Amino acid sequence: LAPWIPVVGLEIHAQISSNSKLFSGSQVQFAAPPNSLVSFFDASLPGTLPVLNRRCVEAAVMTGLALNCSINKKSLFDRKHYFYADLPAGYQITQQRVPIAVNGSLSYSFCIDNKMSQMVTKTVRIKQIQLEQDSGKSLHDGTRSQTLVDLNRAGVGLMEVVMEPDMCCGEEAAAAVRELQLILQTLGSSQAVMAEGQLRVDANVSVHHPGEPYGVRTEVKNINSIRFLAKAVDYEIQRQIEELENGGTILNETRAFDSKLGCTVPMRDKEGKQDYRFMPEPNLPPLILYDAKSLPANMNHQQVINIDWIHERLPDLPSVKREKLVEQYGILPEHSFTLLNEDGLAEFFESVAKQTQMKPKKVIGWILNDLLSYLKQHSLTVKESPVSSFLLADLLNLLEKKEISSTAAKQVLAELWKGEGKTPLEIVKEQKLELLQDQKELEQICQAVIDEQENQ
Amino acid sequence: QKVSVEVLDHLEHLALVDFRDSEGVERLQKAIQFADQLHEVNTDGVEPMDSVLEDRCLYLREDDVTEGNCTKDLLENAREKVEEYFVAPPGNIPLPKLEERDTFLQGS
């Protein structure tokens, strides 16, 4: 059987972290009474007009720069028409012709075979980033055969990040999205929490034989976590291969991922191919951005967005943070990945490293093997850790000064974990875990053990 | 060149317009003919303009919360509501197919 090459592309919608919406002054907030965060414009009442939120543009520029994109100094807004109850205007304002950023790239890494020791780095091309409106939320009431509509989310700013089909499996897709999530969170342009719908991913999947043209692709939606993204992509690849090997064909359709069954199913309500009748948004002139060279002399500050100014103020991206951790503390690259993968863990590690004489290369073991596994077992975040960086550093100092053995240190940590407010030293004294340094005393104990053995 | 029945049917589905009678279709044909005159102009190498506003400044608003909190006003317009939600049918109700709906286009 000829080998199959799976091809995976992603369309990611990230909710912009802002106080108000993209084109109106109503608030952006996750859980609020239905239809309380809705302005007349969001409800599409006649006579209302869109007014662009400066913060949303800045967020998109930051994200574009972080993803190595070319920022379009002139970008345009368009209307994408379709009918749905949670889209009151009957169209979404988006950027179809000329988006705000194009032609970028994202580097991501993952471990081969789940072994931390072998990390692979790949790159995926970013086709574009566009600004667009989010739709409202539909709650389907099957029993009463109706849909309840909440427009709180309608009009919230989104950045759509389009990744080219450079990925080949669920693992790559998951790693790429994870890295994007970390970047967005570092920039602050989106909080990118998938569980709260701030980051939504649709996957485009197809398979083909080497040397042949790309196969028909399907779009997979309703993926609610990074873990499910990997599962959904891998399932769809397998499904397509099996279908084709059995002589079937792949339909260019949209499928939903069913997380309970672990499979993709065709989505109903997709009546044939959609014709979105794109047209320029007549109420918005082109969006013009400036840089240091093109900065106009006499314009109001508040009306000018300077790409270079934003570039200079970008924070260290995750890849840079990792390099710095490896360089500064002599830890392995794999360690730096784990540190950044857990919210607050890198800061915790650095805090401990500063407060202890133990070498960072040894400290990292305690952070990644002991502390992290405790946290995982109890489903706690670093912030919720009953063991503070101060306490852990204190404990490691005892170990470093050889006042206790490493086995004893683990025992103390287990006790510290109970969060009863005792210091490491107090626990050591309580449980009599001090290392004996006295030669004579040690000899006496050893002799006693030998004697007992002989007696038995 | 006449607009085909397939295109008219497609338009009725997409935009939920109703051409109603031959006069409606004739009006559409005339509008297209009128717009087709644009093809007589040579636009080689000319950047298309989509709005006379293209040189206007796009106003940027500060990211402040200034609106919302008018649930009652908004729901006043709703024919049906349930606990401050708007009520809609369970899904889109597609326009029936050409053969199945009462339209003058069928006769064409």
Side-chain angles (χ1 to χ4, degrees):
Chain A
L1 283 168
W4 289 102
I5 302 182
V7 176
V8 181
L10 299 174
E11 277 161 34
I12 299 154
H13 291 90
Q15 248 186 26
I16 298 175
S17 176
S18 62
N19 300 324
S20 58
K21 295 184 181 178
L22 183 58
F23 293 116
S24 70
S26 37
Q27 192 181 2
V28 177
Q29 197 182 73
F30 182 50
N35 292 305
S36 61
L37 308 177
V38 185
S39 68
F40 288 0
F41 170 77
D42 303 329
S44 191
L45 297 187
T48 56
L49 291 171
V51 186
L52 183 55
N53 179 341
R54 188 200 158 86
R55 156 69 188 164
C56 293
V57 181
E58 288 170 343
V61 172
M62 273 198 289
T63 306
L65 291 170
L67 295 176
N68 306 307
C69 294
S70 306
I71 307 295
N72 282 328
K73 293 226 195 68
K74 177 175 166 184
S75 62
L76 307 171
F77 290 101
D78 304 294
R79 289 185 182 181
K80 178 179 180 181
H81 299 82
Y82 64 93
F83 290 114
Y84 208 62
D86 58 26
L87 193 70
Y91 60 85
Q92 174 201 37
I93 301 180
T94 177
Q95 294 187 299
Q96 193 254 354
R97 288 168 296 159
V98 187
I100 191 166
V102 291
N103 296 339
S105 65
L106 169 68
S107 285
Y108 61 95
S109 303
F110 56 98
C111 315
I112 302 186
D113 298 332
N114 272 324
K115 286 184 217 148
M116 279 312 286
S117 48
Q118 273 190 295
M119 292 212 92
V120 172
T121 300
K122 291 212 162 174
T123 307
V124 58
R125 290 168 298 157
I126 305 291
K127 177 162 188 251
Q128 65 190 56
I129 300 175
Q130 69 214 41
L131 281 167
E132 57 184 38
Q133 293 172 303
D134 206 345
S135 65
K137 261 209 188 138
S138 296
L139 300 168
H140 300 288
D141 182 358
T143 47
R144 276 174 217 81
S145 202
Q146 63 190 13
T147 297
L148 302 180
V149 178
D150 174 13
L151 297 178
N152 283 349
R153 201 185 63 180
V156 171
L158 295 176
M159 294 177 288
E160 178 172 337
V161 179
V162 182
M163 289 186 182
E164 300 275 23
D166 296 341
M167 294 158 285
C168 70
C169 61
E171 187 170 35
E172 287 189 3
V177 171
R178 179 64 185 131
E179 188 66 8
L180 176 66
Q181 192 180 40
L182 285 174
I183 291 174
L184 292 171
Q185 289 168 347
T186 302
L187 292 173
S189 56
S190 171
Q191 287 163 305
V193 176
M194 273 181 97
E196 285 182 17
Q198 292 167 340
L199 192 71
R200 300 178 322 239
V201 182
D202 298 332
N204 294 312
V205 181
S206 74
V207 296
H208 66 277
H209 288 305
E212 287 182 12
Y214 279 15
V216 175
R217 71 164 195 263
T218 61
E219 187 187 19
V220 182
K221 289 174 110 78
N222 194 40
I223 299 165
N224 299 327
S225 75
I226 294 186
R227 213 167 53 89
F228 285 154
L229 170 62
K231 280 197 172 162
V233 167
D234 288 335
Y235 175 86
E236 183 59 17
I237 290 171
Q238 269 315 112
R239 185 193 75 85
Q240 290 193 10
I241 291 175
E242 275 167 28
E243 183 71 33
L244 291 169
E245 281 182 350
N246 288 335
T249 52
I250 305 300
L251 295 170
N252 175 215
E253 59 176 350
T254 299
R255 300 175 71 88
F257 180 63
D258 184 321
S259 50
K260 283 191 195 122
L261 300 173
C263 65
T264 63
V265 294
M267 265 174 99
R268 287 165 291 132
D269 216 357
K270 279 282 168 177
E271 329 114 34
K273 236 182 157 196
Q274 285 277 24
D275 181 344
Y276 294 114
R277 294 178 296 145
F278 285 100
M279 66 174 253
E281 169 53 61
N283 296 321
L284 294 170
L287 172 61
I288 309 291
L289 303 173
Y290 301 93
D291 55 22
K293 280 195 205 138
S294 64
L295 214 50
N298 300 324
M299 252 176 96
N300 174 8
H301 253 298
Q302 198 269 339
Q303 290 301 313
V304 171
I305 292 184
N306 182 343
I307 300 167
D308 290 336
W309 190 90
I310 294 175
H311 209 311
E312 283 158 25
R313 282 155 187 75
L314 286 179
D316 276 349
L317 293 182
S319 50
V320 172
K321 278 192 195 171
R322 285 183 202 117
E323 269 171 35
K324 285 189 174 173
L325 284 170
V326 168
E327 212 197 286
Q328 195 179 344
Y329 298 103
I331 58 176
L332 295 174
E334 303 88 84
H335 297 158
S336 69
F337 268 91
T338 314
L339 283 179
L340 254 60
N341 218 27
E342 211 58 47
D343 195 25
L345 193 60
E347 290 76 17
F348 193 99
F349 164 69
E350 290 195 273
S351 176
V352 172
K354 284 196 178 87
Q355 297 176 78
T356 176
Q357 293 95 51
M358 181 184 279
K359 286 219 174 85
K361 276 190 197 179
K362 277 180 81 180
V363 174
I364 195 76
W366 286 91
I367 298 284
L368 297 182
N369 301 332
D370 299 273
L371 180 79
L372 191 58
S373 57
Y374 267 119
L375 289 172
K376 290 292 170 195
Q377 265 174 45
H378 296 90
S379 296
L380 293 172
T381 62
V382 174
K383 288 189 177 73
E384 296 165 338
S385 170
V387 179
S388 66
S389 60
F390 174 76
L391 284 178
L392 183 58
D394 206 14
L395 172 60
L396 295 181
N397 279 338
L398 288 177
L399 180 56
E400 191 65 6
K401 283 187 271 183
K402 299 207 164 96
E403 290 184 32
I404 54 175
S405 68
S406 93
T407 321
K410 288 197 201 276
Q411 253 180 270
V412 176
L413 185 57
E415 194 62 34
L416 280 174
W417 196 261
K418 294 180 190 166
E420 287 166 4
K422 296 184 202 154
T423 66
L425 199 54
E426 282 166 3
I427 298 171
V428 165
K429 291 226 160 80
E430 255 178 47
Q431 298 192 12
K432 297 208 169 90
L433 295 169
E434 306 95 318
L435 269 181
L436 293 170
Q437 307 280 16
D438 188 314
Q439 185 79 357
K440 269 210 184 117
E441 219 182 322
L442 284 167
E443 276 178 14
Q444 278 177 353
I445 294 174
C446 290
Q447 192 60 51
V449 172
I450 293 169
D451 291 342
E452 212 190 305
Q453 287 296 315
E454 281 176 352
N455 287 342
Q456 280 177 5
Chain B
Q1 240 188 343
K2 291 237 162 200
V3 184
S4 72
V5 177
E6 285 76 36
V7 171
L8 291 169
D9 178 42
H10 186 54
L11 285 172
E12 288 200 340
H13 267 95
L14 281 182
L16 295 182
V17 293
D18 181 359
F19 288 106
R20 196 65 53 93
D21 53 25
S22 59
E23 204 187 308
V25 175
E26 191 54 34
R27 206 170 302 131
L28 175 69
Q29 306 267 156
K30 289 218 166 87
I32 296 173
Q33 267 171 270
F34 179 75
D36 275 344
Q37 291 178 96
L38 291 171
H39 290 310
E40 290 173 35
V41 182
N42 185 347
T43 55
D44 288 343
V46 179
E47 197 58 36
M49 178 212 266
D50 46 63
S51 166
V52 292
L53 296 175
E54 65 178 17
D55 290 331
R56 289 279 185 97
C57 199
L58 175 53
Y59 178 75
L60 295 172
R61 181 176 57 84
E62 278 303 305
D63 186 26
D64 298 319
V65 176
T66 57
E67 303 177 276
N69 258 308
C70 50
T71 319
K72 202 155 158 270
D73 290 334
L74 293 173
L75 289 175
E76 248 170 26
N77 290 330
R79 192 185 69 176
E80 265 187 77
K81 42 188 172 250
V82 168
E83 278 176 42
E84 302 187 323
Y85 286 94
F86 294 100
V87 179
N92 279 0
I93 302 166
L95 204 61
K97 291 206 172 78
L98 188 56
E99 316 80 69
E100 293 155 29
R101 70 182 190 271
D102 184 17
T103 165
F104 117 96
L105 287 180
Q106 274 206 53
S108 314

